[in-house]
Amino acid sequence: MNQTQVPSGLNRLQMLALIVGGVGFVLLMIGWFLSPAQFFPAYLVGYILWMQVALGCLAILMIYNMTGGGWGYVTQRILRAGMLTLPLLAVLFLPILLGLPTLYEWARPAAVAHDELLQHKSLYLNIPFFIARTVLYFVVWIGLALLLNRWLLHLDQSFDLAAGRRLRGLSGLGLGAFGLTVTFASIDWMMSIEPHWFSTIYGFMFATGAVAAAFALAIIVLNWLMKRTSLVEVVSTLNVNDLGNFLLAGVMLWAYMTLSQYLIIWSGNLAEETPWIYRRTTGGWEVVGLLLTIFHFFAPFLVLLSRTVKRRINWLVNVAGLVLLMRLVDLYWLIIPAFHESFYLDWLMIVAPIAIGGIWLAAFIWQLKKKSLLPLYDAGVEEKLLDYGRTQTSTHS
Amino acid sequence: MQSSEMLGKTPEVQLPAPVIGPGYTYGSVTDKISSLVLSRRTPLAWFVAFALASLGTAMLFGTIAYLLYGGIGIWGNNVPVGWGFDIVNFVWWVGIGHAGTLISAILLLFRQQWRTSINRFAEAMTLFAIANAGLYPLLHTGRPWFDYWLMPYPNTFGLWPNFRSPLVWDVFAISTYATVSFLFWYTGLIPDLATLRDRAKNPLLRILYGIFALGWRNSAAHWNRYHAAYLMLAALSTPLVVSVHSVVSLDFAAGIVPGWHATMFPPYFVAGAIFSGFAMVLTLSIPLRKAYGLEDFITMRHINNMAKIMLVTGLIVFYGYMMELFMGWYSGSQYEEYLILNRMTGPYAPLYWALILCNGLIPQLLWFRGVRNNLLVLFIISLIVNVGMWLERFVIIVTSLHRDFLPSAWGMYYPTIFDWTMFIGTIGFFLTLLLLFIRVLPVISIFEMRELVPESENA
Amino acid sequence: MNNPTLYGLLAEFTTPEALIEATHKAHDMGYRKMDAYTPYPIEEVGHALGARGTRLPYIVLAGGLVGAIGGYLMQYYASVIDYPLNIGGRPLHSWPSFIPATFEMTVLLAAFAAVLGMLGLNGLPQPYHPVFGVPGFEAATRDRFFLQIEARDPKFDLEETRKFLESFQPEKVSEIERYKYPG
C-alpha cells in the first residue's frame, strides 16, 4: 500500500530550524537578562503564535475525524505532527510562569491592593489558580493529542470500523473540551493582561485565529512536500481548492469576530470597555489595525475569491504565508498595546517568534518524519464503503 | 486493499444509511416526486392540517385587524419592557429561517450530498418563517402604513434613515435575506417547474408551470451557467446567513442594557438560529416523510445528520449561557452581576431554568446513536428545542429590560391575549403556506435527486 | 439545399455515456452549432460541446462592487452631506456603523447579478423554442439525453448528419422544425 516516503530535504530543514531556534533562544536569553520588561511581552506574542498553530492542528484533526473529506486525508499527517508539538509547547510555557508579575497586573500584589475590581477578580485571577488552570489545559490538550494519535495509528495497522467510530466519539467530546479550555486559556493568557477589560467573544476569536493559522501552516507544508515527494500525485485539485476555501473561511471568520467585537464596544461606548479599543486605535497602533484590515482580510479575501488561485497550491501558498504572518501581527496588536500606549517595536519581538518557531518547526519535522506522509485510514471511509455496497447490491439484484 | 476485503472483515459493523433508497432510476425519481403534486390524491391528513392551519391564519389576520384599529396598546408591551412578544417572536422566526439557507448553501459548498432531498423544503420554510418574522417589526412601528419610510429614498421631507442605528441595519439585513433566499429558492425551482410543465396533464397547469419555468429546456449550455450561478448564490448566501442573525443580535448588543451588551452576541445568535432552524426542519420533516412515503428520499442518514448538527449548535448555545454567567461575574459590574442573579432567582426564573433544561440538558441526549435513530424521541426533542429557543429569546429580551439600572424604573411584563393569538396565528400562517407549498410545488429537488441516482440503476 | 423550415436534428439517447460519446465525435467531426439536453447538469457534456468558462463570475463581481461602493456612498451621502444630524454624539461619518448595510447591499446586488445574469446569458425567459415541438422531447426533463445539431451549422447536411447521428444507435433521430407549436 501507499508508503509515501519522507524526503531527505526534511533533515536539512530540521537542522536549519534547530540552529535558527538555538541562536534565537540565546538572543532571547540575552534579552531577558538585559530587560525582562521587554522580554516577556515579546516572548508571549511569539509563543502564542505557535501555540495557536498547534491548537489549530488539534482542532482541525478532530473536525476531520467527524466529517471526513479528501482535504483532511492528505493533510492528516501534517495536522498530526502539528498537534504532537503540544508537549514541547508545555515546556516552552515555563518562562512565562517566571514573568507573571511583569506580564499581569493582577499578579502584582501592590497593584491589587489599591484596586477594588482586581480584589473582586482575585478569586479567579491569582497565581496558584492560574498555574493550576494552565496545567489543566495542557493535560487536556496533550491527553487528547496522544489519544488521537494512538487511535489513528491503530487504524493504520488494522482496518477497524468500530475503532473509527470510537475515534469520532472521542473527537466530538474532545472538541467540546477544546472549546472550553481554549476559551479560558485565551482569557488567562491574553485577556487578563488588561484585567479590567472583558469581552465574551474573546474565546471564539482565539479559536478562529488558531484554526486559520493551522490551515495556513498545513498549506505551506503540503506545498513543500508536494514539490519533493510523490504526494503530488495523490493531492487533487479539489483537495487544494477545499483547503483554499477553508483559508478563506478562516480570514472571513477572523474579520467577522474582530469587527463584531469592535462594533459592539464602539457602539456601547462604555467606560469599562472602550479603553481597550481606544488604545489599539490611537498612538500609531491604528496603523497596525489598518494593516490588519488590509492584509488579514481584504487582500487574502479578494485573492481567494478566485478559483484559479485556490486550485494552484504554488499560488495558494503565498496567501497562506501572508495569513500566517498576519496572525503574528494580529497577536502583536492584541497584546503589545497593553504595555505601550504608542507604537512600539523592538528587536526581541522579531526574534521571539522566529526563535520559538525554529524550535517548534524542528519538533514538528521530527514528528512528521516518524510516519509515512499518508495514512491508511481515511475518516470518509464509511461513505466510500456505502457507495461500494450500493453498487454491489444493485448489480446483484 | 480492496473494498470487498474491508467489508468481509467487519460484517458486524452497521453502515450508515444511504442518501437515497435502492432501486430508483431517473424516471422513477422524477415520477415519484412530481406525482406528489400532479397525480397523487391529496391525503386526508393534508385537508385536516390545512383546515387547522387556516384557523390560525384567520386568527392572525383578525388580530392584525384589531391591532390596526386599536394600536399596539393591545399588546402587553409597557414602559420598561418596550419589546415584548413582538420582538421575541421576530427573533424566533428569523432564527428558524436560518436552517434553509444553511442547508442549501453551506452544505452545497461542502459537497454534502445528503442536503439534496431536504434543501427545497428547508428553503421554503425559510421564506415563510421570514414572512412571519417581518410582520412583527413592521406592525410594531405602530403606523405600518408608513413603513416605507424605513427605506432610504430621496423624499420631500428631506429625511434619511439613521444609518447609525442597528434597527436600520436590520431593515437591510432582513429584506436582503428575504430577497436572496427567494432568488435562491426560485433559481433551484426553475428546472423542476419545467419538469412539472412536461408532466402535467391539465392544460391550465401546464401553462402555469410553463410560465414560471421561463422556457427552461435543460440545454447543456444553460446548465453550465446555471450551475455557476447556483454555486455563486450559495457562496453569497453563506456569509449572508451569518450576517443576518448577527445584525439581529446587534439590535441588542449595540445598546448598553445589561444582558444585551455582550460582544459574543453575533456568533452566539447565529449558532442559536441554526439550532432552532434544524429543530424546525426535523419537526416538520419527520411527519412529512411519513405522510407522503418519502422514507427513501429523506432517509435516516438525513435525520441522523440533522440531529448531529443540532447537537453541535446546541453545545455552542450552551457555551454561550456559560460564558454569560462567567463574564457576568468576571466583569465585576454590579449591573451584570445583578442581571445573572435576577435571571436565576427573579420573577422570570422558572423560564430561565426551563430554558437551561430545554436547550442545555435535553439536547445532550443526542450524543447517543440510539436517540438519533429513534424518530419519535427525536421529534419530541426537536419540539423541546423549538420551545427552548423561544424561551431563550424571552429571557434575553424581557428579563434584561424589566430590571435594568434604576430600581425605580423596574417593572413587569405580562403578555395579553392578543400577544398569544398573534403568536399562535403566525404558527398557523406558517403552516398554511407550507401546506400550500407541499401541494403545488415539488418538496424535493427533482433534478438534483436524479444526479444522486447511481449509474448502475439505469443500465 | 436544406428545408428552410428545418431547425436541426435531434438524437435521443438513454444514457449520459452515449450522449457524451456522440457529442465528442460530433465535435471532432467539426460540428459547432450544437446543443445537448440532459435531465440534470453533466459537466462532461459541456466539455464535449467545447463550452468554455462563463462570463457570469465577472457579472457577479461587478454587481457586488456596485453594491459595496454604492451602498457605502449612499450612507455617507445621507448621514454626512444631505442630512447631518448629531445622534448620541457619534461622528457623522461613523464608518463602523456603515459596514452592516454596505455588506447587505453587496450581497443583494451580487445575487441579483447572478440570477439575472444567468437568465440573460441563457436567453431566458424564452417561452417557445423549436425543440419543444419534437414529440417525446418532454423526456428531457425525465430520463432521456438529447443531442441537437442545428441546420445553420456549415457542416450540416440532412442526410449526412442523420446518418452520422444514427451511427451511435440512438433511440431515434427526429427533425426539429421551426414554427411548429406543441399540442
Side-chain angles (χ1 to χ4, degrees):
Chain A
M1 189 77 197
N2 209 329
Q3 286 292 341
T4 314
Q5 287 308 322
V6 178
S8 57
L10 220 45
N11 290 325
R12 256 179 294 135
L13 188 65
Q14 188 182 20
M15 212 50 215
L16 187 69
L18 211 55
I19 293 168
V20 169
V23 173
F25 262 87
V26 171
L27 290 175
L28 283 181
M29 296 295 266
I30 297 170
W32 187 350
F33 178 73
L34 290 177
S35 164
Q38 280 179 34
F39 165 78
F40 284 111
Y43 187 85
L44 187 68
V45 172
Y47 176 80
I48 289 182
L49 174 73
W50 296 104
M51 189 72 214
Q52 282 204 331
V53 173
L55 285 175
C57 287
L58 175 64
I60 297 168
L61 195 62
M62 288 193 284
I63 293 171
Y64 163 68
N65 285 337
M66 306 199 30
T67 62
W71 61 269
Y73 178 71
V74 297
T75 51
Q76 205 208 82
R77 284 298 153 87
I78 300 172
L79 300 172
R80 170 190 167 276
M83 77 178 180
L84 287 177
T85 59
L86 279 165
L88 169 77
L89 286 162
V91 176
L92 292 180
F93 193 82
L94 293 174
I96 295 173
L97 288 183
L98 298 175
L100 290 183
T102 318
L103 285 170
Y104 304 103
E105 194 186 343
W106 52 261
R108 295 195 284 272
V112 178
H114 300 291
D115 193 320
E116 219 172 293
L117 198 62
L118 291 189
Q119 286 160 21
H120 168 86
K121 293 189 186 188
S122 65
L123 194 64
Y124 180 82
L125 295 177
N126 59 67
I127 291 175
F129 195 24
F130 177 92
I131 295 173
R133 284 194 307 270
T134 299
V135 170
L136 176 76
Y137 307 147
F138 278 110
V139 167
V140 171
W141 297 335
I142 294 173
L144 269 175
L146 294 181
L147 205 55
L148 281 173
N149 179 45
R150 198 158 142 194
W151 288 8
L152 276 169
L153 294 183
H154 165 72
L155 280 164
D156 251 9
Q157 278 146 21
S158 66
F159 188 82
D160 182 352
L161 275 185
R165 186 157 268 158
R166 266 208 311 280
L167 188 67
R168 278 215 297 278
L170 173 71
S171 299
L173 288 169
L175 278 171
F178 176 85
L180 280 180
T181 46
V182 159
T183 300
F184 284 100
S186 69
I187 293 171
D188 291 357
W189 299 349
M190 288 169 67
M191 201 169 101
S192 77
I193 296 174
E194 282 144 295
H196 295 99
W197 183 75
F198 57 94
S199 168
T200 40
I201 205 175
Y202 212 78
F204 281 122
M205 273 172 59
F206 187 91
T208 311
V211 170
F215 270 120
L217 178 95
I219 291 168
I220 294 168
V221 177
L222 190 66
N223 175 57
W224 195 91
L225 292 172
M226 276 168 74
K227 283 213 178 103
R228 287 163 183 83
T229 66
S230 57
L231 207 60
V232 66
E233 290 154 29
V234 183
V235 180
S236 72
T237 334
L238 227 48
N239 297 153
V240 176
N241 191 43
D242 278 348
L243 289 171
N245 273 331
F246 287 126
L247 193 65
L248 175 63
V251 295
M252 285 172 78
L253 278 175
W254 173 83
Y256 167 70
M257 303 280 179
T258 307
L259 176 72
S260 296
Q261 176 177 283
Y262 185 83
L263 188 53
I264 288 169
I265 294 178
W266 182 89
S267 301
N269 205 17
L270 292 176
E272 59 260 42
E273 295 176 341
T274 35
W276 190 88
I277 62 167
Y278 183 78
R279 274 197 163 226
R280 281 156 185 78
T281 49
T282 48
W285 290 116
E286 71 274 19
V287 179
V288 182
L290 194 66
L291 210 70
L292 281 170
T293 318
I294 296 169
F295 292 107
H296 202 322
F297 177 63
F298 279 106
F301 169 76
L302 289 172
V303 173
L304 288 174
L305 283 183
S306 153
R307 196 181 254 207
T308 325
V309 176
K310 272 185 294 198
R311 296 200 160 191
R312 290 195 190 141
I313 192 150
N314 47 344
W315 292 13
L316 186 60
V317 73
N318 296 318
V319 187
L322 176 70
V323 171
L324 199 57
L325 180 66
M326 283 300 127
R327 285 305 312 133
L328 176 65
V329 178
D330 184 38
L331 292 169
Y332 166 73
W333 185 70
L334 288 174
I335 293 173
I336 302 300
F339 300 96
H340 301 277
E341 264 184 48
S342 51
F343 181 79
Y344 177 83
L345 183 70
D346 63 33
W347 63 280
L348 278 169
M349 288 174 192
I350 314 262
V351 171
I354 297 173
I356 300 169
I359 301 291
W360 187 89
L361 192 64
F364 171 82
I365 294 173
W366 180 55
Q367 290 294 347
L368 193 65
K369 279 196 302 191
K370 277 191 186 167
K371 298 286 163 193
S372 70
L373 291 177
L374 278 180
L376 292 185
Y377 174 75
D378 171 6
V381 74
E382 284 197 10
E383 306 244 336
K384 290 195 185 99
L385 280 182
L386 180 75
D387 292 337
Y388 174 77
R390 196 167 61 187
T391 43
Q392 289 299 296
T393 44
S394 53
T395 37
H396 291 314
S397 61
Chain B
M1 204 188 292
Q2 282 299 304
S3 304
S4 55
E5 285 173 39
M6 297 181 175
L7 275 179
K9 266 187 192 168
T10 52
E12 77 283 0
V13 173
Q14 175 201 352
L15 289 172
V19 287
I20 181 171
Y24 280 95
T25 64
Y26 301 129
S28 64
V29 164
T30 309
D31 296 342
K32 173 139 190 188
I33 304 173
S34 52
S35 76
L36 298 184
V37 179
L38 294 173
S39 51
R40 212 182 114 128
R41 275 191 54 167
T42 310
L44 185 66
W46 187 90
F47 288 102
V48 175
F50 190 73
L52 286 173
S54 301
L55 275 180
T57 306
M59 192 154 81
L60 172 68
F61 285 100
T63 311
I64 292 177
Y66 184 57
L67 184 81
L68 294 182
Y69 166 78
I72 60 167
I74 68 166
W75 287 341
N77 303 23
N78 55 41
V79 164
V81 187
W83 284 359
F85 260 39
D86 45 353
I87 304 302
V88 173
N89 295 336
F90 161 70
V91 181
W92 190 67
W93 279 118
V94 177
I96 286 170
H98 272 52
T101 318
L102 184 95
I103 292 172
S104 314
I106 299 185
L107 298 183
L108 179 75
L109 295 180
F110 283 114
R111 292 191 290 278
Q112 296 288 315
Q113 287 190 329
W114 61 273
R115 71 178 265 288
T116 299
S117 54
I118 47 175
N119 67 332
R120 169 73 44 75
F121 173 69
E123 283 166 39
M125 196 190 83
T126 292
L127 287 176
F128 306 146
I130 301 176
N132 275 313
L135 277 178
Y136 278 103
L138 288 179
L139 292 169
H140 191 181
T141 57
R143 290 175 179 76
W145 46 94
F146 292 134
D147 278 348
Y148 63 93
W149 287 1
L150 292 167
M151 285 293 161
Y153 67 101
N155 53 58
T156 49
F157 313 122
L159 296 175
W160 287 92
N162 169 23
F163 288 107
R164 280 160 283 181
S165 160
L167 301 184
V168 170
W169 310 341
D170 226 11
V171 173
F172 277 79
I174 302 290
S175 54
T176 300
Y177 189 46
T179 314
V180 175
S181 299
F182 174 78
L183 286 176
F184 202 22
W185 180 70
Y186 182 65
T187 305
L189 264 173
I190 291 173
D192 282 0
L193 288 167
T195 299
L196 291 181
R197 170 197 68 201
D198 294 346
R199 301 277 91 70
K201 300 273 189 299
N202 180 332
L204 181 67
L205 276 182
R206 201 154 63 200
I207 290 170
L208 276 177
Y209 286 126
I211 288 172
F212 290 108
L214 306 176
W216 182 262
R217 55 181 189 273
N218 287 10
S219 147
H222 290 185
W223 276 129
N224 219 357
R225 297 187 192 103
Y226 180 88
H227 196 62
Y230 202 62
L231 276 178
M232 280 186 285
L233 276 179
L236 288 167
S237 302
T238 303
L240 176 67
V241 78
V242 172
S243 84
V244 173
H245 229 58
S246 301
V247 169
V248 169
S249 82
L250 290 174
D251 291 343
F252 306 101
I256 54 165
V257 176
W260 285 8
H261 184 68
T263 50
M264 181 189 58
F265 259 36
Y268 162 62
F269 263 51
V270 172
I274 298 167
F275 186 43
S276 69
F278 271 91
M280 189 56 98
V281 177
L282 274 177
T283 308
L284 297 171
S285 59
I286 290 174
L288 176 82
R289 74 198 275 276
K290 189 146 183 68
Y292 280 89
L294 294 174
E295 283 92 345
D296 282 340
F297 296 154
I298 304 176
T299 66
M300 283 316 287
R301 169 99 155 268
H302 298 96
I303 305 275
N304 213 322
N305 284 350
M306 287 194 273
K308 282 182 189 164
I309 293 184
M310 259 172 67
L311 176 61
V312 171
T313 48
L315 284 171
I316 299 177
V317 169
F318 198 36
Y319 166 93
Y321 302 153
M322 297 299 110
M323 283 314 288
E324 273 184 336
L325 295 188
F326 175 74
M327 285 292 176
W329 173 81
Y330 182 86
S331 71
S333 150
Q334 58 170 327
Y335 302 114
E336 296 283 344
E337 278 177 299
Y338 180 73
L339 171 91
I340 302 294
L341 192 71
N342 184 39
R343 274 193 189 165
M344 294 203 282
T345 60
Y348 295 111
L351 295 181
Y352 179 76
W353 294 111
L355 148 73
I356 295 292
L357 182 72
C358 292
N359 281 357
L361 302 179
I362 291 176
Q364 302 311 318
L365 290 172
L366 296 172
W367 283 101
F368 302 101
R369 206 171 344 135
V371 172
R372 292 200 303 267
N373 285 329
N374 186 326
L375 286 174
L376 182 67
V377 176
L378 209 50
F379 181 69
I380 294 170
I381 292 179
S382 75
L383 284 176
I384 290 174
V385 170
N386 282 318
V387 173
M389 284 310 293
W390 187 87
L391 288 170
E392 180 195 301
R393 277 64 180 255
F394 187 92
V395 166
I396 289 176
I397 293 171
V398 175
T399 61
S400 305
L401 280 177
H402 93 117
R403 289 180 180 176
D404 55 8
F405 301 99
L406 277 180
S408 61
W410 287 359
M412 285 295 288
Y413 169 79
Y414 302 101
T416 64
I417 177 82
F418 296 107
D419 280 311
W420 285 109
T421 54
M422 185 142 174
F423 178 42
I424 297 164
T426 52
I427 297 175
F429 187 45
F430 175 75
L431 292 175
T432 309
L433 293 171
L434 211 57
L435 287 164
L436 283 175
F437 158 73
I438 293 170
R439 187 64 198 80
V440 301
L441 290 169
V443 282
I444 293 174
S445 171
I446 307 175
F447 83 91
E448 287 177 298
M449 288 306 277
R450 288 188 203 117
E451 288 183 75
L452 291 188
V453 172
E455 293 299 313
S456 53
E457 302 285 358
N458 286 282
Chain C
M1 184 63 199
N2 291 321
N3 178 355
T5 65
L6 186 75
Y7 179 82
L9 283 174
L10 188 71
E12 177 179 337
F13 299 95
T14 51
T15 64
E17 291 80 11
L19 171 71
I20 292 165
E21 194 209 338
T23 315
H24 267 301
K25 290 271 168 59
H27 194 264
D28 292 346
M29 287 282 289
Y31 288 107
R32 287 298 177 270
K33 303 284 176 204
M34 289 192 297
D35 202 352
Y37 302 97
T38 56
Y40 57 91
I42 305 173
E43 222 177 319
E44 292 93 320
V45 177
H47 293 317
L49 283 168
R52 276 164 291 115
T54 151
R55 278 168 293 165
L56 203 53
Y58 300 100
I59 298 176
V60 175
L61 184 68
L65 284 178
V66 170
I69 297 168
Y72 197 91
L73 288 183
M74 172 188 73
Q75 297 178 73
Y76 184 84
Y77 174 76
S79 318
V80 180
I81 297 169
D82 198 39
Y83 191 49
L85 196 64
N86 183 340
I87 291 161
R90 281 166 203 179
L92 293 177
H93 181 210
S94 292
W95 66 267
S97 301
F98 295 168
I99 291 175
T102 306
F103 173 80
E104 303 298 336
M105 291 295 289
T106 311
V107 172
L108 183 69
L109 292 207
F112 267 113
V115 174
L116 297 181
M118 182 270 287
L119 291 177
L121 291 174
N122 282 348
L124 299 174
Q126 181 185 8
Y128 182 69
H129 185 274
V131 78
F132 286 132
V134 177
F137 181 67
E138 65 274 8
T141 56
R142 189 169 179 273
D143 59 351
R144 290 298 153 93
F145 303 80
F146 296 87
L147 177 63
Q148 161 191 297
I149 298 181
E150 291 168 33
R152 65 195 166 107
D153 190 294
K155 257 193 76 72
F156 185 87
D157 176 275
L158 188 54
E159 289 313 306
E160 286 297 310
T161 306
R162 174 182 281 275
K163 227 182 274 166
F164 169 75
L165 284 173
E166 271 166 359
S167 70
F168 299 104
Q169 271 111 32
E171 291 295 290
K172 63 177 180 201
V173 176
S174 332
E175 293 181 9
I176 312 168
E177 287 189 59
R178 292 171 195 280
Y179 316 123
K180 188 181 170 209
Y181 293 88

